[in-house]
Amino acid sequence: MAVDAHKAQIKRHLSIHFGISFTKGITHTDVLNELKTLVDQNEIQTIQITEKECIVTVHDQNTKHTLLTRGINLKNRYIRMVDVEQQVTNVTNKDAPCEMSDVTICGHLSKFGDVVQGSLRRGLIKDTNIETGTRYVQLTNCIPIIPTATKFGRFSVRMFADNNRTECPYCTRTDHPSYRCTNKPSRQNQAARKCYRCNSTTHTIKDCPHSEKLCYRCGKEGHIQRDCQTDDQEMYGDYVHDIQEGRDANKNDSFTEDNNSEELIVELNKTTETVFEQTNATLPTSETVIFGASNCSRIRIEDPSINNIAVSGTTLDQIDKLVCQSDNIVNSDYVANVILSLGTNDISKHRSDTEQITANLTTCIDTLKTKYPNARIGICSILPRRGKGSSIQALNTAARSVNSFTQKLCVKSQVLKYIDLWDEFAPNKTPFRALFDLNDPSGVHISKSGIELMENIFEDFINSKCEGEYETPSKKRNRSSSSTPGSSEKQVTKMPKSC
């Protein structure tokens, strides 16, 4: 079987080299005569002279150490030798989003080599603390050729490495950067020869062999890179079709409150009623697990069958940590209800990148389905934020978009149930002030009344298992925006241990 040259790990621990640009006309005999003044001839394996350097390979480390420390004299000039391959390769990463964590960067780079712990640093503008977006990482045991372009998730980034591991795009050699390549075409010729259909520099568009637009990502005709779905299957798994459907819907019309129309709510209720009738009699379990962040951590439930696993600051991609905590409390085979109330911190972290949030959500749901096969899973909508600033409005717009995706996902599933918190906390499209902590400038945290309202909504979801139905909370409670929650809503009734 042929071995890919880019993946072949060729070890060159006994090779050293030096440049010959200032010693033109030297021969193998010249180099050998100088080497024999320092080491025995039998200890030299190879002397290789290329266009720009001379490479000497020896048989053992002692001989190599002697040549590295002492050097040689050629044509009345002292020459210092260095390792052909250094143990550490410095890699420069460009174009990665500044919001992408250092851990994520190191995780993607680990496929090219071993990341030196603590080596990652961020580029800064001189004499300031303002970042340039560039990351610098050190690798060991890396592959021979590091690509100049790759993808971190759905983001395209550029990479440049020293130690002769970056390939020139014009001649495929690694001993010089691309801007110094003698084969690099001039700017005029390159512009004149570029095809704007397939991006080739070997012909113009009139001579292009492709009759339709060509995707630069997968190389197939019929679509462009922006609409390519090649990486979607790997990123989103079984939910790729749902996500693509959401993308197509967003192209035709933006999200409005009309998305929560009567027809959609009626259809949602019919679907959930049918599912509950089918599953209610077959689930012998009685435990309930709540996964949430800071708002859920303030919920106080006396019922021992209801386990609240909430940690402040948790995001969707950290669901594994919460699941591990639940393993110490409850047997996953005896969990009948799972309530997931995460996403607010994801909005803060990813902001307008709703595709990344929905990708994390689908991964989180898969984790819960696998861990709790006998449970129905209630997915809470992301709560609105209190405030009128443009940044708050932008975050709320992103939250509504994710909620719309979540609701459509739940309608199509027999296991997932949509718990609508948005309409309860933002009647008439405006966050209800009495339900939010007015001392919180971020507008994220809810008040004591808001906590009690959330407890009641969770209680309705758990009790609906016994009743065989679950209605959207906003249809069960009608409250004007000018009134505070009633006493009946504030009172928290004891939740049932079993059904």
Side-chain angles (χ1 to χ4, degrees):
M1 180 182 295
V3 179
D4 189 346
H6 288 271
K7 297 181 179 180
Q9 294 288 348
I10 301 176
K11 304 298 184 180
R12 306 186 69 184
H13 300 320
L14 298 177
S15 295
I16 54 180
H17 68 142
F18 61 90
I20 60 174
S21 58
F22 50 83
T23 54
K24 296 291 184 180
I26 65 169
T27 64
H28 294 81
T29 303
D30 296 335
V31 177
L32 177 59
N33 291 336
E34 291 297 327
L35 294 177
K36 288 194 296 184
T37 62
L38 300 176
V39 298
D40 187 87
Q41 179 176 337
N42 295 327
E43 296 175 348
I44 302 173
Q45 178 180 347
T46 305
I47 299 177
Q48 182 181 5
I49 298 179
T50 65
E51 293 181 3
K52 296 183 178 181
E53 63 180 353
C54 176
I55 305 172
V56 179
T57 304
V58 296
H59 288 290
D60 57 72
Q61 288 289 344
N62 292 333
T63 304
K64 174 185 173 182
H65 179 72
T66 301
L67 296 178
L68 287 176
T69 55
R70 300 185 62 177
I72 60 176
N73 289 287
L74 280 176
K75 295 188 175 181
N76 300 322
R77 183 185 292 269
Y78 174 76
I79 295 177
R80 179 175 175 269
M81 296 185 174
V82 295
D83 273 310
V84 169
E85 286 190 353
Q86 302 176 14
Q87 293 184 352
V88 176
T89 300
N90 297 285
V91 180
T92 301
N93 296 269
K94 292 182 177 291
D95 305 335
C98 61
E99 296 87 357
M100 185 174 289
S101 66
D102 294 344
V103 175
T104 303
I105 296 288
C106 292
H108 285 290
L109 289 177
S110 62
K111 61 185 177 183
F112 303 116
D114 299 330
V115 179
V116 178
Q117 186 175 3
S119 65
L120 188 145
R121 61 185 181 89
R122 294 173 176 249
L124 300 175
I125 298 176
K126 186 177 181 180
D127 300 328
T128 69
N129 291 326
I130 302 175
E131 297 182 4
T132 62
T134 304
R135 316 284 180 96
Y136 303 97
V137 186
Q138 292 183 337
L139 300 179
T140 59
N141 301 322
C142 58
I143 61 177
I145 302 297
I146 294 180
T148 55
T150 185
K151 294 183 71 67
F152 289 178
R154 65 185 185 89
F155 299 102
S156 298
V157 300
R158 293 175 294 160
M159 297 196 304
F160 306 94
D162 63 1
N163 203 11
N164 290 337
R165 295 188 185 275
T166 298
E167 189 176 71
C168 174
Y170 304 110
C171 65
T172 69
R173 293 175 55 178
T174 62
D175 57 352
H176 63 269
S178 59
Y179 62 86
R180 291 183 179 176
C181 184
T182 57
N183 296 335
K184 181 180 179 181
S186 64
R187 185 182 300 272
Q188 292 80 7
N189 293 337
Q190 187 176 15
R193 297 290 299 175
K194 183 176 181 179
C195 175
Y196 294 97
R197 177 178 294 159
C198 67
N199 207 34
S200 173
T201 58
T202 61
H203 60 266
T204 58
I205 191 170
K206 66 178 182 179
D207 300 323
C208 184
H210 303 282
S211 58
E212 299 182 10
K213 52 189 176 182
L214 188 70
C215 175
Y216 297 163
R217 179 188 296 174
C218 66
K220 297 180 180 179
E221 295 183 355
H223 65 275
I224 58 178
Q225 180 176 349
R226 180 183 59 195
D227 301 325
C228 184
Q229 303 178 30
T230 301
D231 295 336
D232 289 349
Q233 185 68 40
E234 179 180 353
M235 179 181 295
Y236 301 125
D238 296 336
Y239 297 96
V240 61
H241 302 295
D242 296 327
I243 290 178
Q244 186 59 39
E245 180 182 338
R247 287 178 181 169
D248 296 338
N250 290 334
K251 290 180 182 178
N252 297 329
D253 53 45
S254 58
F255 178 88
T256 63
E257 292 297 330
D258 294 338
N259 288 358
N260 291 330
S261 60
E262 291 291 338
E263 292 79 4
L264 181 60
I265 298 300
V266 171
E267 184 66 25
L268 173 64
N269 289 337
K270 289 181 179 179
T271 303
T272 53
E273 288 176 5
T274 303
V275 172
F276 289 162
E277 290 175 357
Q278 295 175 352
T279 60
N280 185 42
T282 61
L283 295 178
T285 55
S286 60
E287 295 285 345
T288 297
V289 181
I290 301 174
F291 294 114
S294 56
N295 283 327
C296 284
S297 65
R298 298 163 57 196
I299 294 178
R300 297 294 179 263
I301 300 177
E302 299 178 356
D303 194 328
S305 67
I306 301 175
N307 306 276
N308 187 10
I309 313 295
V311 178
S312 179
T314 302
T315 55
L316 289 166
D317 56 357
Q318 297 174 329
I319 187 63
D320 290 335
K321 296 181 181 180
L322 299 185
V323 170
C324 289
Q325 293 185 27
S326 69
D327 290 340
N328 300 326
I329 302 174
V330 63
N331 188 333
S332 59
D333 293 333
Y334 294 94
V335 173
N337 303 294
V338 174
I339 298 177
L340 179 68
S341 183
L342 294 174
T344 300
N345 294 314
D346 294 83
I347 295 292
S348 301
K349 180 178 179 181
H350 299 287
R351 294 186 178 273
S352 60
D353 189 3
T354 56
E355 289 190 8
Q356 183 63 50
I357 299 174
T358 54
N360 293 341
L361 175 62
T362 54
T363 303
C364 178
I365 292 174
D366 283 338
T367 301
L368 296 178
K369 284 183 176 180
T370 303
K371 185 65 178 179
Y372 307 105
N374 299 324
R376 57 177 188 152
I377 304 173
I379 311 297
C380 297
S381 62
I382 300 176
L383 287 173
R385 294 172 186 246
R386 179 188 59 82
K388 297 182 179 180
S390 58
S391 60
I392 296 293
Q393 297 304 319
L395 294 174
N396 282 340
T397 299
R400 286 196 297 266
S401 177
V402 175
N403 290 342
S404 176
F405 168 81
T406 304
Q407 189 172 21
K408 294 176 182 178
L409 196 64
C410 291
V411 170
K412 298 179 180 180
S413 174
Q414 295 183 347
V415 178
L416 304 181
K417 314 301 172 189
Y418 183 67
I419 302 177
D420 192 354
L421 300 180
W422 185 283
D423 286 347
E424 283 293 288
F425 283 82
N428 300 326
K429 305 179 183 179
T430 302
F432 191 59
R433 287 173 56 86
L435 298 178
F436 289 84
D437 185 357
L438 301 182
N439 296 321
D440 177 22
S442 66
V444 172
H445 298 97
I446 58 180
S447 63
K448 182 178 180 181
S449 299
I451 293 297
E452 293 174 350
L453 175 59
M454 184 178 287
E455 290 174 346
N456 289 333
I457 294 174
F458 288 176
E459 179 189 33
D460 291 341
F461 172 76
I462 298 172
N463 286 340
S464 66
K465 178 185 177 230
C466 301
E467 300 168 1
E469 60 181 7
Y470 173 64
E471 298 180 359
T472 305
S474 59
K475 297 300 176 182
K476 296 176 66 178
R477 301 181 180 87
N478 294 318
R479 181 179 66 251
S480 65
S481 59
S482 60
S483 63
T484 58
S487 58
S488 60
E489 292 184 357
K490 293 183 178 180
Q491 183 178 4
V492 182
T493 58
K494 187 174 182 182
M495 297 184 182
K497 295 183 179 181
S498 61
C499 299

